[in-house]
């Protein structure tokens, strides 16, 4: 175990691509979940058809991803049909990097570089560095950085875009923190403050931006607000205890029937 940890530390310091701890890629189940997204979007019949239509239309939305490999893989596979048609670039954002001190939340992708070694599960055409806009990739998050800074930076990035819709591939702790920070006090639609988005899950919401005047000599502050009633589960949604129990019961019943 010690030797393995040393090896992984050396791999990270050298910025090699085959680390299984730092910036860990998707496992087989994660790759399957990402591929499933593309199929779900192609024949979507859920509660948010307009959101999905916008997410699949390059004229109405922009696609971005965390600079961690597993998010980049999810975006490349989950939106493969769109990306194959449009040939657009995916924006790689350090601002979307996961909020945690775990080693798998540390990016091995250098600043202004495309994600490395996305694996054979991602088509070669989407692994190409030319398919990624890296202008907003500043590399790994700062050691003494704060998650709130990235929440605000991502939010500000979205409002600098001309497109009315942003499709973001990110992480469960990041977006749970996002909802805790930007939902109005007391609002907890779909238990967004308490539960993480499921692996391979998609939610949609409206984000607002406003300026609050400072008191006295204090400067004005930019604030963001998630509109509570706009939050909807597009696919899988939030990973709640009730959903886990239902899935476990269904699996048990299927096994018994077999």
């Amino acid at each position: 175990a010690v030797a393995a940890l040393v090896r992984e530390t050396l791999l990270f310091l050298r910025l090699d691509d085959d680390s299984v701890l730092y910036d860990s890629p998707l496992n087989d189940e994660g790759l399957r979940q990402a591929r499933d997204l593309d199929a779900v979007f192609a024949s979507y019949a859920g509660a948010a058809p307009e959101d999905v239509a916008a997410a699949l239309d390059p004229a109405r939305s922009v696609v971005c991803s965390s600079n961690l490999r597993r998010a980049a893989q999810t975006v490349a596979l989950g939106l493969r049909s769109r990306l194959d048609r449009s040939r657009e670039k995916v924006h790689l954002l350090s601002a979307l990097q996961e909020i945690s001190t775990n080693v798998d939340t540390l990016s091995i992708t250098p600043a202004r570089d495309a994600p490395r070694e996305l694996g054979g599960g991602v088509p070669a055409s989407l692994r190409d560095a030319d398919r990624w806009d890296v202008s907003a990739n500043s590399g790994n998050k700062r050691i003494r950085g704060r998650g709130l800074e990235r929440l605000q930076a991502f939010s500000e990035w979205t409002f600098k875009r001309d497109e009315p819709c942003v499709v973001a591939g990110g992480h469960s702790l990041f977006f749970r923190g996002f909802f805790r920070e930007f939902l109005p006090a007391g609002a907890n639609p779909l238990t967004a403050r308490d539960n993480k988005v499921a692996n391979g899950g998609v939610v949609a919401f409206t984000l607002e931006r406003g300026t609050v005047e400072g008191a006295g000599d204090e400067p004005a502050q930019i604030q963001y607000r998630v509109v509570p009633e706009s939050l909807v589960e597009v696919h899988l949604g939030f990973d709640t205890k009730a959903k886990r129990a239902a899935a476990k019961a269904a699996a048990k019943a299927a096994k018994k029937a077999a």
Side-chain angles (χ1 to χ4, degrees):
V2 173
L5 181 59
V6 170
R7 176 176 178 275
E8 294 301 336
T9 302
L10 293 174
L11 285 175
F12 175 63
L13 292 176
R14 293 200 312 268
L15 296 178
D16 282 355
D17 300 330
D18 60 344
S19 172
V20 295
L21 293 182
Y22 291 103
D23 199 351
S24 56
L26 293 175
N27 59 19
D28 289 343
E29 181 180 6
L31 291 170
R32 178 190 59 77
Q33 291 171 335
R35 287 190 291 266
D36 286 349
L37 277 180
D38 195 44
V40 167
F41 291 150
S43 56
Y44 187 74
E50 285 302 313
D51 291 310
V52 171
L56 298 181
D57 185 355
R60 299 165 59 191
S61 58
V62 61
V63 179
C64 60
S65 169
S66 158
N67 60 352
L68 292 174
R69 287 187 291 180
R70 57 189 179 277
Q73 289 173 305
T74 299
V75 168
L77 292 172
L79 293 172
R80 178 179 178 178
S81 295
R82 166 181 169 159
L83 297 175
D84 281 344
R85 287 193 307 268
S86 68
R87 305 299 300 173
E88 69 197 280
K89 292 188 176 186
V90 177
H91 293 260
L92 198 66
L93 308 183
S94 292
L96 276 169
Q97 195 171 342
E98 179 65 302
I99 298 175
S100 173
T101 57
N102 292 341
V103 295
D104 65 349
T105 71
L106 302 177
S107 176
I108 65 170
T109 300
R112 309 296 183 264
D113 204 352
R116 299 178 171 188
E117 194 54 47
L118 293 183
V122 176
S125 61
L126 296 175
R127 298 198 304 267
D128 194 293
D130 290 340
R131 298 304 304 273
W132 302 86
D133 183 322
V134 298
S135 58
N137 173 28
S138 57
N140 189 45
K141 56 191 177 184
R142 295 186 297 112
I143 293 177
R144 296 187 180 276
R146 298 170 60 225
L148 176 59
E149 295 172 345
R150 296 199 301 284
L151 297 177
Q152 294 170 329
F154 168 66
S155 298
E156 190 61 20
W157 185 88
T158 67
F159 282 97
K160 290 180 178 179
R161 300 296 308 179
D162 294 330
E163 301 87 352
C165 176
V166 173
V167 183
H171 307 279
S172 57
L173 291 178
F174 180 97
F175 282 109
R176 187 176 67 180
F178 192 94
F179 292 127
R180 287 178 175 179
E181 184 64 30
F182 297 137
L183 276 168
N188 192 20
L190 303 176
T191 68
R193 289 180 179 273
D194 305 322
N195 293 294
K196 299 183 292 185
V197 177
N199 290 336
V202 182
V203 300
F205 58 91
T206 298
L207 183 66
E208 297 178 333
R209 180 185 186 273
T211 302
V212 177
E213 295 297 328
D217 295 332
E218 294 181 358
Q221 292 186 340
I222 296 174
Q223 294 190 355
Y224 306 96
R225 176 180 181 268
V226 173
V227 179
E229 57 271 22
S230 73
L231 184 60
V232 60
E233 294 177 307
V234 177
H235 174 63
L236 300 180
F238 294 95
D239 185 22
T240 65
K241 184 177 180 179
K243 288 181 181 178
R244 290 193 297 272
K248 185 176 181 180
K252 184 178 181 180
K255 184 176 181 180
K256 184 177 181 180

